[in-house]
């Protein structure tokens, strides 16, 4: 312990004065060769760190059950470590920077940043290990999908099979759709252009009811890039999914963006949306409290309505507007990485195989132990229910409820009847999605970090009022683009175009 | 220098009598009252929101008078009181133990440093002072705690970091050296040993300064959540403020999940429940402050910069 500690201390001695919350960044290097040459113990203990809610009382029991299974299959035992969602970023980056020896951990572009972890050499290269030690996991996804996780030619994280595409679309409360008589019209929607008349009907319905609903929709954000077939790379810079040449454009400079902004503005003037901006948590509170009849843009996915019902208590009808587009960001949204300092990298990769191929092992981690935490409701359709007649899984002391964080969700048992069949449907959605011309490309923004920060600030200042429709798009979109120009968007665009051209040339060869 | 006894201090602190209310006093009072209101307003808003019906809050927004009075949030918290009660026990425990231990250690360090006849006075004072200028940074701190002291995930991880603050040592040393040497000499002539002098003369005389430092340390312990963020993994050891932090930051993380198309179905406490938690967490600290306030004023004016 002391010996390793000293090594780590030397490694980090250069980083005196690291910012407290700024995300700890080690300037030293993890020695990968050293990690893999260390002889593994006879039955290694694999420490797996993930985000969740730490009050899972039955976690020790689940850990024991998983260890027994893992002992049988890969002669290793498992130690599960949960960091609370809100603290995951800080805790895992501290542990990584301090050179702790945990084996596997959750990583993604949006939390515990995958690219930062690669830059700091906290992640082990997996492209050579996966085909040998995790053949089922390796074969479960197309080479293009694996390319999404590649950085500099290497794969640093095992992608979790889940919904890769983001078919955004609106949803409406079923009771409102029926009472206002717009159900059929809503189900027939194919674009946001046709939703105006429906909103007018709903507005009439709300006004006639006096009280109750406050907004037709509390969120008017119909301007997500995916909705219009753009793959957003960084800083609001996009490539059209049909453009195989990969020409970078500014999203706020496109026709689609202007039209969406004008539509939102119109809704605001008609009183469909809140008169002042709401934070996302305020929007959710309003939706939950039953003040909004619709939400304009959510990921419409198989089984999604059941998730909304479970979380907010409202029955909804949802319609996908956006064409499913397979992007780098969507594919890498959830991954499990192996620590570059792991003492047992091979066992860790075998663990990944187990998580992604062994249905019993995976579901023990996701749902707990059969007969203790859950029991079969209908085994034929893989539907389960809380064990012991309890109302919810949490009552049995184990309900992490993040199957998508652990592995291949298509192996997950269904927890609600309306969810049955969602996984094959999701797999179809992924398979049939159009791959973005940039699938597999990742932008390295290090050279233009200053400009990116400046542009992000501009986008927030000008973009949010436009998303809420409280300013006039005719003057504010040009103002936004001018401010972006001044913040250096063109330098980012040039850098991005350069990297894309190099990447495309390499791909053709 | 003379001993600053309470009777010396009193005249300067005496409030103006009723007859003394002239125009400038009134203006000053109004200004201070406005400032106080500005400070109090956010706190009152939190208290009012915690007593508001959840749906009414979403509908009408925040207001200083609950639009629809409800104690639902508190009922919800105390329906499952184990988590918050345990957090209370942890926080109260480390605050009490930490304050007593901390003040004792600081006093025992500061007193010798105040004595001119102590040989190592200068080097040790410098070492104390040096830690105020330079520190190792977060990662070495983390490595020290987890790989050398091995206190991660124990109550000691919460206790150790705030025990002795260099700044408090220097304040107290200055205070001690302001006490007249003649007193100590007289005691020595009467046959008192060093321990007797410390306990029976130095400590009683330094009571206002000690109380002030005790208050600072107690508030440090009470409000500390970063230490738990770094070192505590077991929910049984979560202090109160960390529990609050987790609840707030989890809500933000949930919003992030939605951006990537995952709906975390974990039940989050409602807005009102979060406010109620904040009230429960800040309440005792405010009372503690009121209780110590008279010492605080005296301690700061008498001790710090003499």
């Amino acid at each position: 312990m002391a010996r390793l500690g000293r090594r780590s201390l030397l490694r980090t001695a250069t980083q005196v004065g690291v910012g407290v919350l700024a995300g700890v960044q080690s300037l030293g290097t993890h020695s990968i060769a050293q990690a893999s040459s260390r002889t593994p113990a006879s039955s290694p203990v694999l420490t797996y760190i993930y985000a969740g809610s730490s009050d899972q009382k039955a976690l020790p029991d689940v850990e024991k059950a998983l260890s027994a299974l893992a002992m049988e299959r890969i002669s290793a035992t498992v130690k599960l470590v949960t960091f609370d969602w809100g603290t995951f970023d800080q805790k895992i980056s501290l542990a990584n920077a301090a050179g702790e020896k945990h084996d596997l951990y959750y990583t993604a572009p949006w939390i515990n940043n995958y690219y930062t972890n690669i830059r700091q050499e906290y992640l082990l290269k997996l492209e050579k290990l996966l085909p040998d030690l995790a053949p089922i996991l390796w074969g479960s996804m197309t080479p293009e999908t694996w390319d999404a996780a590649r950085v500099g030619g290497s794969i640093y994280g095992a992608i979790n099979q889940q919904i890769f595409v983001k078919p955004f679309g609106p949803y409406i409360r079923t009771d409102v759709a029926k009472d206002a008589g717009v159900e059929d019209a809503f189900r027939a929607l194919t674009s946001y252009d046709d939703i105006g008349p429906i909103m007018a009907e709903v507005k009439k319905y709300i006004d006639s009811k006096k009280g109750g609903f406050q907004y037709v929709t509390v969120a008017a954000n119909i301007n997500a890039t995916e909705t219009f077939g753009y793959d957003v790379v960084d800083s609001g810079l996009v490539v059209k999914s049909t453009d195989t040449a990969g020409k970078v454009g500014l999203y706020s400079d496109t026709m689609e963006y202007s039209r969406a902004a004008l539509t939102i503005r119109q809704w605001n003037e008609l009183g469909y949306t809140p008169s002042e901006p709401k934070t996302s948590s305020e929007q959710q509170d309003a939706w939950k409290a039953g003040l909004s009849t619709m939400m304009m843009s959510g990921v419409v996915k198989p089984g999604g309505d059941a998730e909304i019902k479970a979380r907010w208590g409202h029955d909804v009808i949802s319609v996908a507007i956006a064409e499913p587009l397979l992007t780098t960001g969507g594919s890498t949204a959830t991954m499990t990485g192996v620590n570059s300092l792991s003492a047992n990298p091979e066992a860790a990769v075998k663990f990944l195989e187990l998580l992604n191929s062994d249905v019993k092992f995976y579901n023990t981690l996701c749902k707990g132990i059969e007969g203790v935490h859950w029991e079969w409701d209908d085994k034929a359709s893989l539907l389960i229910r809380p064990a012991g007649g309890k109302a919810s899984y949490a009552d049995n002391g184990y309900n992490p409820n993040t199957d998508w964080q652990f592995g291949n969700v298509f192996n997950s048992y269904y927890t609600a009847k309306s969810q049955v069949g969602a996984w094959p449907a999701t797999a179809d959605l992924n398979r049939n999605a159009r791959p973005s011309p940039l699938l597999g490309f990742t932008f390295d923004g290090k050279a233009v970090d200053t400009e990116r920060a400046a542009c992000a600030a501009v986008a927030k200042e000008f973009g949010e009022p436009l998303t809420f429709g409280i300013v006039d798009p005719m003057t504010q979109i040009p103002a936004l683009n001018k401010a972006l120009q001044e913040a250096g968007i063109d330098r980012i665009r040039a850098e991005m175009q350069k990297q894309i051209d190099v990447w495309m040339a390499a791909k053709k060869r | 220098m003379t001993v600053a006894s309470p009777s010396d201090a009193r005249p300067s602190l005496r409030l103006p009598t009723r007859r003394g209310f002239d125009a400038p006093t009134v203006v000053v009072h109004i200004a201070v009252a406005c400032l106080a209101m500005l400070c109090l307003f956010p706190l009152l808003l939190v208290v009012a929101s915690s007593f508001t019906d959840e749906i009414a809050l979403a509908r009408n927004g925040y207001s200083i008078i609950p639009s629809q009075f409800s104690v639902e949030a508190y009922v919800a918290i105390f329906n499952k009181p184990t988590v918050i009660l345990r957090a209370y026990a942890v926080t109260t425990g480390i605050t009490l133990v930490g304050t007593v231990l901390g003040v004792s250690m600081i006093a025992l360090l500061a007193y010798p440093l105040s004595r001119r006849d102590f040989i190592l006075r200068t080097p040790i004072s410098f070492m104390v002072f040096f830690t105020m200028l330079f520190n190792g940074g977060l990662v070495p701190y983390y490595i020290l705690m987890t790989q050398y002291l091995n206190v991660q995930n124990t109550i000691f991880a919460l206790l150790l970091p705030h025990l002795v603050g260099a700044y408090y040592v220097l304040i107290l040393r200055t205070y001690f050296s302001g006490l007249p040497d003649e007193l100590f000499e007289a005691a020595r002539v009467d046959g008192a040993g060093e321990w007797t002098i410390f306990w029976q003369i130095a400590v009683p005389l330094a009571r206002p300064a000690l109380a002030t430092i005790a208050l600072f340390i107690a508030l440090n312990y009470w409000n500390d959540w970063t230490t738990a963020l770094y070192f505590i993994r077991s929910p049984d050891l979560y202090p109160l403020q960390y529990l609050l932090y987790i609840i707030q930051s989890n809500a933000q993380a949930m919003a992030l999940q939605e951006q990537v198309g995952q709906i975390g179905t974990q039940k989050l406490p409602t807005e009102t429940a979060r406010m109620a938690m904040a009230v429960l967490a800040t309440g005792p600290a405010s009372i503690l402050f009121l209780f110590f306030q008279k010492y605080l004023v005296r301690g700061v004016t008498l001790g710090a910069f003499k």
Side-chain angles (χ1 to χ4, degrees):
Chain A
M1 195 70 196
R3 190 183 62 84
L4 301 175
R6 253 194 302 282
R7 194 171 66 81
S8 310
L9 195 62
L10 274 177
R11 191 153 59 75
T12 46
T14 41
Q15 44 179 171
V16 173
V18 175
V20 176
L21 294 174
V24 185
Q25 307 202 335
S26 166
L27 298 172
T29 52
H30 277 51
S31 165
I32 292 161
Q34 199 171 356
S36 44
S37 68
R38 201 170 296 131
T39 41
S42 52
S43 66
V45 183
L46 295 171
T47 306
Y48 175 31
I49 305 181
Y50 52 88
S53 129
S54 57
D55 56 351
Q56 307 292 339
K57 298 221 162 37
L59 189 69
D61 303 335
V62 172
E63 190 177 280
K64 220 187 277 166
L66 281 177
S67 287
L69 285 173
M71 202 62 207
E72 224 172 80
R73 313 271 157 83
I74 60 169
S75 17
T77 55
V78 183
K79 168 110 188 68
L80 300 176
V81 179
T82 317
F83 291 159
D84 284 283
W85 272 109
T87 66
F88 186 70
D89 253 343
Q90 289 113 316
K91 284 199 155 170
I92 191 76
S93 52
L94 253 184
N96 278 337
E100 286 187 3
K101 303 275 176 294
H102 49 264
D103 300 282
L104 299 118
Y105 58 90
Y106 182 64
T107 181
W110 57 280
I111 191 166
N112 184 23
N113 192 294
Y114 179 59
Y115 302 106
T116 309
N117 285 332
I118 293 172
R119 223 185 282 172
Q120 307 295 345
E121 298 182 31
Y122 294 157
L123 287 167
L124 192 67
K125 292 182 181 177
L126 298 177
E127 72 277 7
K128 293 214 175 67
L129 296 169
L130 282 173
D132 290 343
L133 299 171
I136 301 178
L137 167 61
W138 182 252
S140 70
M141 276 168 280
T142 60
E144 288 78 37
T145 310
W146 283 114
D147 280 349
R150 278 187 201 268
V151 174
S154 288
I155 294 170
Y156 294 87
I159 294 175
N160 293 340
Q161 182 79 256
Q162 41 98 36
I163 186 158
F164 293 147
V165 295
K166 286 191 239 171
F168 283 113
Y171 43 97
I172 185 168
R173 282 177 48 159
T174 311
D175 50 350
V176 175
K178 286 195 161 61
D179 289 354
V182 294
E183 191 184 347
D184 294 337
F186 192 87
R187 285 188 194 276
L189 280 176
T190 53
S191 89
Y192 283 112
D193 297 337
D194 312 329
I195 207 168
I198 296 177
M199 292 174 106
E201 270 317 301
V202 172
K203 173 79 176 156
K204 252 186 268 167
Y205 164 77
I206 295 177
D207 291 344
S208 71
K209 283 203 39 161
K210 293 245 160 52
F213 292 107
Q214 223 167 7
Y215 320 107
V216 174
T217 178
V218 71
N221 50 329
I222 58 167
N223 51 3
T225 49
E226 285 90 343
T227 310
F228 304 107
Y230 285 104
D231 185 356
V232 62
V233 186
D234 190 83
S235 305
L237 292 167
V238 293
V239 169
K240 186 90 181 167
S241 67
T242 48
D243 175 15
T244 46
K247 188 174 179 317
V248 177
L250 181 58
Y251 182 50
S252 52
D253 215 8
T254 60
M255 268 311 291
E256 287 91 341
Y257 184 82
S258 294
R259 281 191 57 194
L262 284 167
T263 309
I264 298 171
R265 175 68 177 163
Q266 196 188 5
W267 292 347
N268 185 269
E269 283 170 345
L270 289 168
Y272 298 166
T273 61
S275 51
E276 50 193 62
K278 303 245 174 219
T279 65
S280 72
S281 93
E282 280 170 339
Q283 289 175 10
Q284 294 185 8
D285 284 346
W287 168 251
K288 186 178 174 196
L291 305 182
S292 179
T293 64
M294 296 186 209
M295 292 299 260
M296 266 313 123
S297 185
V299 173
V300 177
K301 60 179 181 181
D305 293 358
E307 285 184 13
I308 291 170
K309 165 86 175 161
R311 177 143 191 213
W312 308 115
H314 306 311
D315 283 306
V316 295
I317 302 168
S318 56
V319 177
I321 296 273
E323 182 205 16
L325 182 63
L326 197 58
T327 64
T328 302
S331 308
T332 57
T334 73
M335 288 184 286
T336 309
V338 176
N339 185 3
S340 57
L341 288 183
S342 164
N344 302 289
E346 298 195 348
V349 176
K350 284 183 195 160
F351 175 86
L352 286 175
E353 173 78 341
L354 205 53
L355 256 187
N356 285 281
S357 61
D358 188 308
V359 177
K360 187 177 177 193
F361 188 79
Y362 174 66
N363 277 291
T364 305
L365 179 58
C366 296
K367 320 279 180 186
I369 303 161
E370 179 180 355
V372 180
H373 304 118
W374 58 269
E375 58 193 25
W376 289 109
D377 192 354
D378 176 16
K379 197 166 181 179
S381 58
L382 298 176
L383 179 64
I384 61 167
R385 62 176 177 223
K390 295 279 170 50
S392 78
Y393 295 94
D395 291 342
N396 285 324
Y398 192 72
N399 185 33
N401 212 351
T402 50
D403 305 0
W404 46 269
Q405 189 187 188
F406 299 135
N408 185 348
V409 296
F410 300 160
N411 287 335
S412 167
Y413 300 144
Y414 298 115
T415 52
K417 224 181 192 107
S418 55
Q419 212 189 6
V420 173
W423 300 140
T426 308
D428 277 350
L429 209 57
N430 282 348
R431 204 174 309 122
N432 299 332
R434 180 174 12 173
S436 158
L438 292 188
L439 178 62
F441 171 77
T442 51
F443 175 58
D444 181 356
K446 228 189 324 181
V448 283
D449 263 345
T450 326
E451 286 86 353
R452 288 167 73 210
C455 288
V458 170
K460 197 172 157 58
E461 184 192 339
F462 288 88
E464 278 185 6
L466 284 166
T467 305
F468 289 103
I470 52 173
V471 291
D472 182 10
M474 302 304 274
T475 60
Q476 285 307 297
I477 292 180
L480 164 66
N481 289 334
K482 186 159 171 281
L484 281 173
Q485 226 99 62
E486 280 158 12
I489 195 79
D490 287 337
R491 278 191 293 280
I492 308 177
R493 192 206 310 239
E495 174 70 25
M496 192 179 288
Q497 191 69 63
K498 195 178 80 192
Q499 291 184 20
I500 289 176
D501 291 346
V502 169
W503 178 80
M504 288 214 156
K507 213 173 116 183
K508 274 198 199 100
R509 229 177 286 134
Chain B
M1 260 182 251
T2 56
V3 185
S5 76
S7 58
D8 287 340
R10 201 156 282 154
S12 63
L13 284 178
R14 184 178 291 157
L15 293 170
T17 53
R18 213 167 280 276
R19 255 169 294 145
F21 263 115
D22 46 13
T25 320
V26 171
V27 170
V28 167
H29 277 216
I30 289 174
V32 172
C34 289
L35 207 65
M37 274 315 293
L38 281 180
C39 297
L40 266 179
F41 191 75
L43 195 66
L44 287 177
L45 212 53
V46 170
V47 176
S49 310
S50 74
F51 283 107
T52 309
D53 182 70
E54 192 199 334
I55 292 178
L57 189 73
R59 186 181 296 275
N60 306 325
Y62 303 99
S63 70
I64 204 81
I65 296 158
S67 50
Q68 199 176 329
F69 187 83
S70 158
V71 290
E72 270 305 306
Y74 291 91
V75 172
I77 290 175
F78 285 106
N79 257 346
K80 270 190 188 166
T82 20
V83 177
I84 190 162
L85 285 185
R86 193 185 289 273
Y88 247 110
V90 170
T91 299
T92 321
I94 56 165
T95 305
L96 285 178
V97 175
T99 309
V100 170
L101 263 180
V103 171
S104 320
M105 289 175 72
I106 290 173
L108 284 168
L109 175 56
Y111 177 67
L113 292 181
S114 75
R115 291 275 298 266
R116 275 171 206 90
D117 49 348
F118 180 46
I119 308 167
L120 295 175
R121 185 177 182 230
T122 323
I124 293 183
S125 293
F126 177 73
M127 279 161 71
V128 170
F129 177 62
F130 189 77
T131 62
M132 291 173 69
L133 298 178
F134 297 101
N135 67 64
L138 180 57
V139 172
Y141 169 45
Y142 180 83
I143 290 172
L144 174 74
M145 293 284 279
T146 57
Q147 294 177 14
Y148 288 83
L149 302 177
N150 276 313
V151 289
Q152 71 273 35
N153 220 1
T154 67
I155 198 83
F156 296 105
L158 296 173
L159 267 179
L160 284 178
H162 294 298
L163 266 187
V164 176
Y167 184 63
Y168 304 140
V169 174
L170 295 184
I171 287 185
L172 205 56
R173 187 197 65 169
T174 317
Y175 192 89
F176 276 132
S177 52
L179 301 177
D181 285 341
E182 295 81 9
L183 265 178
F184 300 122
E185 261 160 44
R188 214 165 290 131
V189 169
D190 286 346
E194 288 296 348
W195 281 104
T196 319
I197 294 176
F198 176 70
W199 283 116
Q200 306 209 339
I201 297 180
V203 166
L205 283 174
R207 218 182 282 149
L210 290 173
T212 309
I213 285 165
L215 175 73
F216 283 143
I217 296 179
L219 288 178
N220 276 349
Y221 276 113
W222 189 273
N223 289 328
D224 178 36
W225 55 270
T226 47
T227 314
L229 173 67
Y230 302 151
F231 303 116
I232 300 298
R233 291 179 180 181
S234 154
D236 291 348
L237 284 173
Y238 285 176
L240 200 55
Q241 305 290 348
Y242 184 53
L243 194 67
L244 274 178
Y245 172 77
I246 286 181
I247 291 170
Q248 294 287 2
S249 57
N250 277 358
Q252 287 159 13
M254 293 289 160
L256 274 179
Q257 288 174 27
E258 261 156 57
Q259 283 170 20
V260 296
Q262 303 296 352
I263 299 178
T265 27
Q266 257 139 8
K267 288 272 182 293
L268 281 175
T270 59
E271 187 75 22
T272 52
R274 280 184 254 160
M275 297 293 175
M277 286 282 284
V279 171
L280 290 173
T282 44
S286 338
I287 292 165
L288 197 73
F289 185 79
L290 288 178
F291 183 72
F292 273 98
Q293 199 182 19
K294 57 176 181 177
Y295 292 105
L296 179 74
V297 173
R298 244 191 284 164
V300 169
T301 51
L302 296 183
F305 306 105
K306 208 151 196 180

